[in-house]
Amino acid sequence: MSKVKSSETVKVVVRCRPLNRKEAAGVTGTPGGKGGIVEMDVHRGQVVLRNPRALPSEPQKTFTFDSVYDASSKQRDLYDETVRPLIHSVLDGFNGTIFAYGQTGTGKTYTMQGAWLEPERRGVIPNAFEHVFTQISRSAADRQYLVRASYLEIYREEIRDLLDPNVHAPHVPNVHTQPPHTLELRESPESGVYVRDLTSCVCKSVKEIEELMNVGNQVRSVGATDMNEHSSRSHTLFLITVECSQTGPDGRQHIRVGRLNLVDLAGSERQAKTGVHGERLKEAAKINLSLSALGNVISALADGRSGHVPYRDSKLTRLLQDSLGGNAKTVMVATLGPAPQHYEETLTTLRYANRAKNIKNQPRVNEDPKDALLREFQKEIARLRAQLSHREGRGKHRKEEGCDGEGDEEGEEEVEKERKLQEERLEEEKEAIREDGSLLAVEKQRLLGEKEIMMGDLRKERDTTEQLTAKYKAMESKLLVGGRNIMDHTNEQQKTLEKRRQEIAEQSRREREILQQVMVQDEETLELRETFSSLQQEVEAKTKKLKKLYAKLQSVKAEIQDVNDEHVRGRQELEQTQNDLTRELRFKYLITENFIPPEEKNKIMNRLTYDPEEDQWKFQLLPPSESQMKKRLASAVGYKRPISQYARVALAMGAHSRYRVGE
């Protein structure tokens, strides 16, 4: 059962970081906003881009988005205006996705994660963690929640589980023993595209989910380039699944499942600027390939006329299939760099973001899905409660009448007292049997044995009940109940302040939308309102309009030239990357041809097969007959060195009197 919602477009916002010291020193005194090439009109939601190499008469490029945030914007502003409504939708059972897109070094990771220890600089992900658990604590008391988290990265087109328990050293903190193993993508009609065998951890508080994030970040692939000292070398996706159980109007329990994808993309790179080589070059090639596939998907969806959307060209686009044109509410944060030397990359990012505005999704509430884990938890808890009720006399009666948790604890205490009384009674009976002189020794032993058996059964019953109680409490503790305080800072003043902040953000969004609509309507109705009192006035108006149209024509021509130049630069960059990779391939081919015997090379080649689904070569397993090691000689089995036949026969016959040493 799912509630269908009308289609809505992807929400696109743009954020521009300030100039860093190196960039500011290189462009000091340059006209155009302290040397920057980007101007942000926050009230109108517009971005104006200036070409630093163009003539002053050339018109500037203007783009309009849902929201824009300049260099002075705060982390909290972006979250309250753009992300907060999406988190509310996820808690209501929708799928939601937030991803940052842009050139390397433009602040994607800062926007998504920020500085965790500084409240004012915390990014989207830590604020989303706090928001989810705060809303759960403030929800109605008849709701039960189950929160799960997973963390993965796409490194060189390989999906890795960053929460794999086998990756981290068991006794040494913050150290991993081996790289995460590669996972496979699968697709099902019910859940869509998913990652097989991905670790999913139940979280009960903000602290627990933050610890998972820190554990995953320790094994995430990062590296230094000329543009970014801590450059992300992989795309990461942190998935939060929130399951909510609530009694519906029909009196039955209904479960809604919302999934939140927090995506931190690696930035697009150009080798000439990043200065990467070797392994870093291979990483950059894979990053650019997946981002190119993402751009193709965005272009195909925005065009609307293409019957085929190339989701399968990349692991990234397959994972984001629901987020782009599917069942999800999506927010795209495009990050920009204001330096003149990054003009081409900034223009490319703005074009992609402008196309993404036209993508339409069909979000719907995920109600009563088949793979809901919360229902399994509830069934297991009910089963354990029934077993405990069967073992506990009066405790069963209390639970059947719907007692609260305090009543259950009182019943458990009474049962524990009754067990102790039974143990004391058995001890007294045993002592009485020992002191009874009229009984025969055999009879005493039999009676004491029976009492020991009864004591053993009682202890076994107690241990079994304690295990059931511990398992029951452990299962129940994983569920979060609305109305209970999960965090200490939940109070009425903060609720009022948060509500007011939401109202201000919503009002700002509406004002921006109205202003954009007015601007469009003014251009469309300008001709209808024009009246002329003389021919001269009409000529002047027509001349002005002609100049305006001519300026638009020049702008379109410049846009076409920019697209052609961008295509040429991209092709040259790909050719350079291809040449570098070809040079490295020839080097390894030379080593293979000269230092590996031909028969060994042929064996390896015969075992290689290409998997088009995974887009990589794989080794076939050897047949059992070939994979078994050769057996050792019979004379050496079980011994450090071979021995003679005579010695083996003597050892098999055992000691002989002939060889005994006299005492």
Side-chain angles (χ1 to χ4, degrees), residues 244-356:
C244 174
S245 174
Q246 186 181 17
T247 305
D250 55 358
R252 299 173 56 188
Q253 287 287 332
H254 293 280
I255 295 178
R256 296 194 307 269
V257 180
R259 295 179 178 87
L260 177 62
N261 298 313
L262 300 166
V263 186
D264 183 10
L265 299 179
S268 58
E269 299 183 359
R270 289 192 174 175
Q271 190 211 1
K273 292 185 178 181
T274 57
V276 294
H277 56 276
E279 291 298 315
R280 291 284 178 264
L281 178 62
K282 294 179 182 178
E283 293 169 353
K286 291 294 184 179
I287 289 171
N288 291 336
L289 182 64
S290 60
L291 291 176
S292 176
L294 178 61
N296 293 336
V297 168
I298 291 175
S299 299
L301 291 170
D303 184 27
R305 292 174 294 180
S306 176
H308 170 69
V309 180
Y311 288 116
R312 292 183 174 271
D313 288 357
S314 168
K315 302 283 181 64
L316 174 65
T317 51
R318 286 202 69 190
L319 280 174
L320 296 179
Q321 185 169 337
D322 263 352
S323 305
L324 298 172
N327 171 29
K329 295 189 173 188
T330 303
V331 174
M332 174 181 176
V333 182
T335 56
L336 308 177
Q341 60 265 33
H342 303 319
Y343 169 77
E344 290 83 8
E345 291 83 356
T346 301
L347 180 59
T348 301
T349 301
L350 286 172
R351 284 182 177 143
Y352 276 132
N354 197 49
R355 291 176 197 155

Side-chain angles (χ1 to χ4, degrees), residues 592-612:
T592 303
E593 289 296 315
N594 290 275
F595 294 95
I596 297 181
E599 60 274 10
E600 296 297 328
K601 184 184 73 172
N602 293 333
K603 288 180 182 179
I604 296 174
M605 295 294 291
N606 292 332
R607 288 179 57 194
L608 286 173
T609 57
Y610 182 74
D611 186 353

Side-chain angles (χ1 to χ4, degrees), residues 367-430:
E367 192 167 355
D368 293 330
K370 296 180 180 179
D371 58 346
L373 192 61
L374 179 57
R375 183 174 285 111
E376 297 180 12
F377 272 56
Q378 290 174 335
K379 289 180 179 179
E380 181 66 14
I381 290 172
R383 186 183 67 82
L384 293 172
R385 186 187 293 120
Q387 290 185 8
L388 286 172
S389 299
H390 181 70
R391 292 175 177 274
E392 300 172 358
R394 283 171 293 184
K396 177 180 179 181
H397 181 66
R398 289 173 177 270
K399 292 174 185 176
E400 285 178 350
E401 292 179 350
C403 299
D404 57 6
E406 296 178 358
D408 291 343
E409 292 177 1
E410 292 175 2
E412 292 173 4
E413 291 176 0
E414 292 179 5
V415 172
E416 186 64 27
K417 289 179 181 178
E418 187 176 347
R419 288 199 192 99
K420 289 182 179 179
L421 289 174
Q422 290 178 0
E423 290 180 2
E424 292 175 0
R425 192 182 307 115
L426 286 172
E427 288 291 341
E428 292 174 358
E429 291 176 359
K430 287 170 63 178

Side-chain angles (χ1 to χ4, degrees), residues 2-8 94 329 361-365:
S2 61
K3 297 178 181 179
V4 180
K5 189 181 184 301
S6 57
S7 63
E8 62 177 43
F94 289 95
K329 295 189 173 188
N361 293 348
Q362 291 78 34
R364 63 182 182 273
V365 175

